[in-house]
């Protein structure tokens, strides 16, 4: 893996070597407050008896019927957890809290971009969820049906997810920043009959036409019979009689009863599908289930962010991605925590927005992505300094490697030098945190430290040998864990080939990341080994962006790569070959087309029109060569290039 290393990889290497020597132990106060003090012993104990350990974790939750067996490996890699158990994640996320003091505790504090606010106690969130479940049921939604949800960061998104789960149906949330083709593909793959969306969403003072995008996507995909529309912006939208209904009107009908029974599910029944990109082809529907996922998200959240009942916790991700599913919706609700959610962008109208919110609500934990940190770091320190951020106890980051400089700024300027930073490495597929510190772990800036209890991770060579200290290799997970994906929706073969074929003999899960382990066993993530690009922490596949480009009438062929970007981590650079005999399109037209089909996050920062693309003799695009070209670097060995 060392050959063909580009300058940019060498930069990360130099950064790692420098940061490796820095150590940030927890302060005596942090250690005192930490729930798990002897991390080492906790980890060892978990591995002595893996099934016993996960059984103990499951014991913190409510089950309608206990499992006969914790882990069934007989059909590996199709693992089963808590076999025979009956449950519903909503029992744990909502229903059980109504029997305790948490009934009156705030589950969700929400602020909209224009400054409007709403709060929900556990009792009132439960009530809204029941009422909306009644609405969905009246539309024929039942156990196993898929419901697609497409909207911005508003409470109804959370309500719709929970209502779907309550009925035993399967939600498929599509990020509100995606556009027509991305939404249509996901509706089609899930074959959803019901779509829940909004008239629009607020973004930097403007509104996004969600309903209009949804209409086009519904037309293209052809499964949806009912569209439920939340009124958020109040903008003019077309409503199709007999198909489209206003959320608030449905919620005022007698079908929206304040009580609704929670469907009893098998631990292994599907809870949701979340689409994510992989090496090739269309996005995959990663499938998670009720039982293992509820244990995994709640345990990992308790260990890493050490949530206390009096905390106010803010995960600034979007519920449309896995981070939001696990750590805005399910994890915090299962723990009975108070979550904060904000609709808008961090720097609109000014770069003080987040700091203002932390002060206003006295938030104790902030969990976000390196791209947001770098974006806010650009502005003068006087922006955060003007606010009282002393309520912050812990900070977190996720989505891509965090450069040590941003790490230090986050800890010193935002955390006042007091807060430890939980750099959590995980994936849509893993369901929850896998490699991450806990508050009592000494930190090195830019390393996610070590695997969590119950997780057996390693860095190995392509032959499957454990790498030596500081040797680059493939990051693998050697034992199953309760939060792991169970399959790729509708494509079990892809599940096996994508994740379990590289180390078939050993039965290891291939993460798709390269990494290295230092002499202390700390893991440093280097980056993806496949064609996944992380733009501002958002996971995009090259294939999906390329197909959006090729759907433009003037484009014959396209290849996209990720190039380094100071704020976003990576930006997209597209290379396109034009069709002959068509007028040459403007770069702006191509960008606008991608925006319309895929969404703003997929828009290339640069488009180069080229006569040919570098390919291997077998026709595979040589992205390494394109990358070198885009960065003006030597192209390295191109001997396999097509003649
Ligand atoms: C990357 C997001 C370095 C990694 C939860 C992984 C990270 C991919 C980190 C999954 C981190 C995530 N440090 N890289 N702390 N967290 N990644 O599915 O490449 O959107 O494979 O899940 O993000 O992205 P996904």
């Amino acid at each position: 893996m060392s050959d063909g290393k580009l300058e940019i990889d060498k930069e990360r290497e130099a950064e790692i070597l420098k940061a490796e020597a820095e150590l940030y132990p927890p302060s005596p106060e942090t250690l005192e407050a930490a729930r798990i003090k002897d991390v080492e012993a906790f980890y060892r104990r978990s591995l002595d008896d893996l099934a016993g350990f996960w059984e103990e974790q499951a014991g913190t939750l409510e089950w309608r019927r206990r499992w006969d067996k914790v882990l069934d490996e007989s059909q590996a890699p199709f693992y089963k957890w808590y076999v025979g158990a009956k449950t519903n994640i909503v029992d744990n996320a909502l229903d059980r809290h109504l029997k305790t003091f948490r009934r009156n505790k705030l589950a969700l504090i929400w602020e909209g971009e224009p400054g409007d606010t709403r709060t929900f106690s556990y009792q009132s969130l439960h009530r809204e969820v029941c009422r909306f479940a009644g609405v969905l049921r009246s539309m024929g939604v039942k156990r196993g049906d898929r419901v697609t949800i497409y909207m911005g960061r508003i409470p109804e998104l959370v309500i719709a997810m929970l209502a779907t789960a309550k009925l035993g149906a399967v939600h498929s949330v599509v990020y509100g920043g995606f556009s027509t083709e991305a939404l249509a593909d996901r509706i089609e793959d899930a074959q959803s009959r019901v779509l829940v969306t909004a008239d629009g969403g607020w973004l930097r003072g403007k509104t996004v036409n969600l309903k209009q995008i949804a209409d086009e996507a519904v037309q293209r995909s052809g499964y949806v019979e009912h569209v439920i529309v939340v009124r958020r912006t109040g903008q003019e939208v077309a409503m199709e009689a007999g198909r489209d209904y206003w959320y608030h009107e449905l919620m005022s009908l007698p079908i929206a009863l304040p009580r609704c029974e929670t469907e009893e599910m098998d631990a292994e029944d599907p809870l949701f599908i979340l689409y994510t990109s992989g090496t090739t082809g269309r996005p995959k529907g990663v499938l998670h289930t009720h039982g293992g996922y509820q244990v995994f998200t709640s345990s990992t959240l308790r260990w890493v962010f050490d949530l206390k009942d009096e905390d106010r916790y803010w995960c600034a991700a979007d519920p449309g991605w896995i981070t939001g599913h696990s750590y805005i919706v399910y994890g915090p609700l299962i723990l009975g925590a108070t979550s904060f959610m904000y609709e808008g962008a961090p720097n609109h109208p000014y770069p003080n927005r987040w700091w203002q919110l932390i002060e206003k609500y006295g938030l104790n934990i902030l969990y976000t992505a390196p791209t947001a940190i770098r974006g806010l770091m650009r502005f003068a320190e006087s922006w955060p300094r003007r606010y009282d951020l002393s309520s912050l106890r812990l900070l977190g980051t996720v989505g891509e490697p965090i450069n040590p400089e941003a790490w230090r700024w986050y800890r010193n300027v935002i955390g006042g030098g007091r807060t430890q930073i939980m750099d959590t490495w995980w994936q849509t597929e893993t369901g929850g945190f896998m490699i991450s510190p806990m508050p009592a772990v000494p930190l090195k800036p830019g390393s996610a430290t070590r695997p969590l209890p119950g997780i057996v991770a390693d860095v190995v060579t392509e032959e499957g040998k454990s790498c030596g200290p500081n040797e680059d290799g493939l990051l693998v997970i050697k034992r199953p864990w309760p939060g792991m994906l169970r399959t790729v929706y509708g494509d079990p073969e892809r599940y096996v080939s994508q994740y379990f074929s590289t180390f078939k003999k050993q039965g290891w899960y291939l993460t798709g990341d390269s990494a290295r382990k230092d002499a202390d066993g700390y893991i440093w993530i280097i980056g993806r080994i496949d064609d996944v690009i992380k733009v501002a922490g958002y996971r995009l596949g090259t294939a999906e962006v390329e197909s959006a480009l090729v759907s433009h009438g003037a484009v014959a062929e396209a290849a996209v790569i990720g190039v380094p970007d100071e704020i976003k981590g990576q930006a997209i650079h597209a290379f396109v070959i034009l069709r002959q005999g068509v007028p040459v399109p403007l770069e702006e037209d191509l960008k606008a087309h991608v925006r319309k089909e895929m969404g703003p996050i997929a828009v290339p920062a640069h488009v180069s029109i080229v006569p040919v693309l570098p390919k291997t003799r077998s026709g595979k695009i040589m992205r390494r060569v394109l990358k070198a070209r885009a960065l003006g670097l030597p192209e390295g060995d191109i001997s396999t290039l097509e003649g």
Side-chain angles (χ1 to χ4, degrees):
M1 297 193 71
S2 50
D3 52 339
K5 213 177 239 183
L6 295 173
E7 288 303 319
I8 179 70
D9 301 324
K10 290 190 195 140
E11 264 173 42
R12 169 85 180 141
E13 182 162 0
E15 235 173 47
I16 292 178
L17 288 175
K18 187 159 163 281
E20 235 186 72
E22 273 176 70
L23 198 69
Y24 292 75
S27 67
E29 299 79 57
T30 305
L31 200 57
E32 172 63 28
R35 196 181 259 125
I36 299 161
K37 296 191 171 55
D38 192 344
V39 175
E40 211 51 53
F42 188 42
Y43 184 67
R44 266 200 316 273
R45 192 164 60 80
S46 76
L47 298 191
D48 285 347
D49 173 14
L50 205 63
F53 174 75
W54 287 119
E55 175 151 50
E56 194 184 305
Q57 300 306 315
T60 62
L61 301 181
E62 218 173 77
W63 302 81
R64 298 192 193 191
R65 180 185 185 277
R66 263 178 85 92
W67 45 92
D68 303 315
K69 195 168 183 204
V70 177
L71 169 62
D72 176 359
E73 303 190 64
S74 62
Q75 285 156 52
F78 295 94
Y79 297 98
K80 292 198 177 82
W81 285 88
Y82 308 111
V83 185
K86 298 282 183 197
T87 189
N88 184 310
I89 199 165
V90 177
D91 285 349
N92 283 299
L94 291 176
D95 302 2
R96 70 167 173 160
H97 300 311
L98 304 187
K99 295 175 268 180
T100 72
F101 74 94
R102 294 203 180 97
R103 186 169 80 96
N104 296 317
K105 187 178 163 177
L106 291 184
L108 186 64
I109 304 172
W110 176 84
E111 184 158 328
E113 188 183 270
D116 47 336
T117 63
R118 287 160 76 189
T119 53
F120 297 82
S121 65
Y122 273 88
Q123 155 80 31
S124 62
L125 184 60
H126 170 258
R127 188 165 152 270
E128 293 305 295
V129 168
C130 285
R131 294 173 64 216
F132 193 56
V135 168
L136 288 176
R137 179 179 283 158
S138 76
M139 299 202 153
V141 173
K142 55 180 189 323
R143 197 185 173 97
D145 288 354
R146 278 81 52 210
V147 173
T148 297
I149 305 172
Y150 174 67
M151 56 178 105
R153 267 193 298 272
I154 56 175
E156 285 79 2
L157 173 47
V158 178
I159 294 167
M161 288 167 73
L162 293 163
T164 304
K166 195 174 186 42
L167 295 176
V170 179
H171 55 72
S172 162
V173 180
V174 180
Y175 171 58
F178 274 134
S179 201
T180 321
E181 188 61 24
L183 176 59
D185 273 353
R186 286 158 177 77
I187 291 175
E188 198 164 292
D189 191 81
Q191 305 187 348
S192 296
R193 284 193 313 109
V194 175
L195 171 68
V196 189
T197 186
D199 53 353
W202 286 108
L203 191 67
R204 295 176 200 280
K206 300 203 190 87
T207 60
V208 184
N209 297 326
L210 293 174
K211 175 65 165 60
Q212 201 186 325
I213 295 169
D215 284 343
E216 265 192 68
V218 165
Q219 219 162 36
R220 285 192 204 180
S221 53
Y223 282 96
V224 172
E225 291 163 20
H226 301 298
V227 180
I228 304 175
V229 188
V230 175
R231 181 175 277 161
R232 169 61 189 138
T233 56
Q235 68 203 94
E236 195 75 34
V237 295
M239 296 289 278
E240 192 181 302
R243 188 196 72 179
D244 300 351
Y245 303 87
W246 286 108
Y247 179 95
H248 61 272
E249 285 178 4
L250 295 170
M251 289 288 264
S252 66
L253 299 176
I255 47 171
L257 289 173
R259 285 204 170 278
C260 169
E261 208 181 305
T262 305
E263 185 82 8
E264 183 170 290
M265 308 301 286
D266 280 330
E268 282 293 314
D269 276 337
L271 167 65
F272 66 83
I273 305 169
L274 188 56
Y275 287 88
T276 192
S277 39
T279 299
T280 48
R282 300 172 39 172
K284 305 176 293 240
V286 166
L287 186 105
H288 285 286
T289 56
H290 279 259
Y293 180 79
Q294 66 181 355
V295 175
F296 195 64
T297 52
S298 58
S299 301
T300 48
L301 183 59
R302 191 184 318 105
W303 301 333
V304 172
F305 286 118
D306 212 7
L307 289 190
K308 318 258 195 261
D309 246 319
E310 55 277 22
D311 277 336
R312 286 185 166 188
Y313 155 87
W314 183 14
C315 167
D318 192 285
W321 298 87
I322 192 68
T323 310
H325 278 57
S326 300
Y327 299 115
I328 296 177
V329 183
Y330 290 111
L333 290 176
I334 294 171
L335 296 182
T338 299
S339 267
F340 172 70
M341 188 160 121
Y342 175 59
E343 183 185 31
N347 54 3
H348 178 86
Y350 302 106
N352 62 350
R353 197 65 184 104
W354 274 18
W355 321 133
Q356 221 173 28
L357 291 166
I358 291 170
E359 179 183 274
K360 176 173 174 186
Y361 292 102
L363 304 174
N364 307 102
I365 295 161
L366 171 64
Y367 180 36
T368 183
T371 184
I373 300 163
R374 288 191 297 260
L376 289 163
M377 214 172 117
R378 273 187 305 177
F379 302 100
E381 269 180 31
S382 54
W383 286 106
R385 294 251 187 250
R386 232 174 285 148
Y387 295 87
D388 178 5
L389 305 180
S390 64
S391 57
L392 289 172
R393 181 165 64 78
L394 278 176
L395 299 174
T397 157
V398 61
E400 51 175 321
I402 181 165
N403 45 314
E405 192 195 347
W407 192 98
R408 292 184 205 105
W409 183 87
Y410 195 26
R411 188 173 192 276
N412 295 330
V413 178
I414 305 310
R418 298 177 317 279
T419 53
Q420 290 297 75
I421 293 181
M422 303 296 109
D423 179 351
T424 62
W425 178 90
W426 59 296
Q427 309 178 296
T428 306
E429 294 88 340
T430 70
F433 310 146
M434 300 292 280
I435 302 172
S436 166
M438 296 186 247
V441 172
L443 306 177
K444 300 185 187 189
S447 166
T449 74
R450 290 197 270 183
L452 285 174
I455 303 301
V456 187
D458 198 8
V459 179
V460 300
T461 64
E462 273 160 30
E463 292 74 44
K465 262 190 32 224
S466 283
C467 289
N470 291 333
E471 189 188 336
D472 293 4
L474 305 171
L475 181 65
V476 296
I477 314 293
K478 294 184 166 176
R479 295 289 292 138
W481 64 102
M484 69 192 297
L485 78 163
R486 295 304 192 269
T487 190
V488 171
Y489 183 70
D491 198 350
E493 275 161 33
R494 198 162 169 201
Y495 166 77
V496 177
S497 66
Q498 177 97 37
Y499 304 106
F500 292 97
S501 64
T502 309
F503 297 108
K504 188 164 178 236
K505 200 172 76 225
Q506 298 93 330
W508 299 340
Y509 167 87
L510 183 76
T511 64
D513 279 8
S514 62
R516 58 165 61 179
K517 228 170 21 176
D518 68 18
D520 296 327
Y522 277 45
I523 293 175
W524 300 78
I525 305 293
I526 298 169
R528 299 286 306 187
I529 51 169
D530 55 14
D531 298 339
V532 168
I533 306 179
K534 279 282 182 143
V535 179
Y538 295 123
R539 180 164 162 184
L540 295 171
T542 50
E544 223 183 351
V545 184
E546 286 160 3
S547 102
L549 278 164
V550 173
S551 71
H552 185 283
V555 177
E557 212 179 327
V560 308
I561 54 163
V563 291
D565 180 280
E566 222 173 287
I567 304 287
K568 295 179 174 172
Q570 285 187 300
I572 296 176
H573 189 129
F575 293 82
V576 299
I577 301 179
L578 296 181
R579 277 181 203 283
Q580 290 187 334
V582 298
V584 175
L586 294 173
E587 184 171 336
E588 286 319 307
D589 294 341
L590 296 174
K591 289 183 181 176
H593 183 74
V594 175
R595 177 183 300 271
K596 182 167 175 301
E597 293 300 312
M598 266 288 282
I601 49 169
V603 174
H606 318 275
V607 181
S608 306
I609 294 175
V610 292
V612 284
L613 288 168
K615 286 184 189 165
T616 61
R617 288 192 194 97
S618 61
K620 202 170 169 316
I621 290 171
M622 295 181 81
R623 290 175 202 281
R624 185 174 54 82
V625 174
L626 287 177
K627 205 162 176 175
R629 273 183 202 167
L631 300 175
L633 298 170
E635 293 180 11
D637 177 14
I638 48 172
S639 58
T640 52
L641 207 61
E642 184 184 47

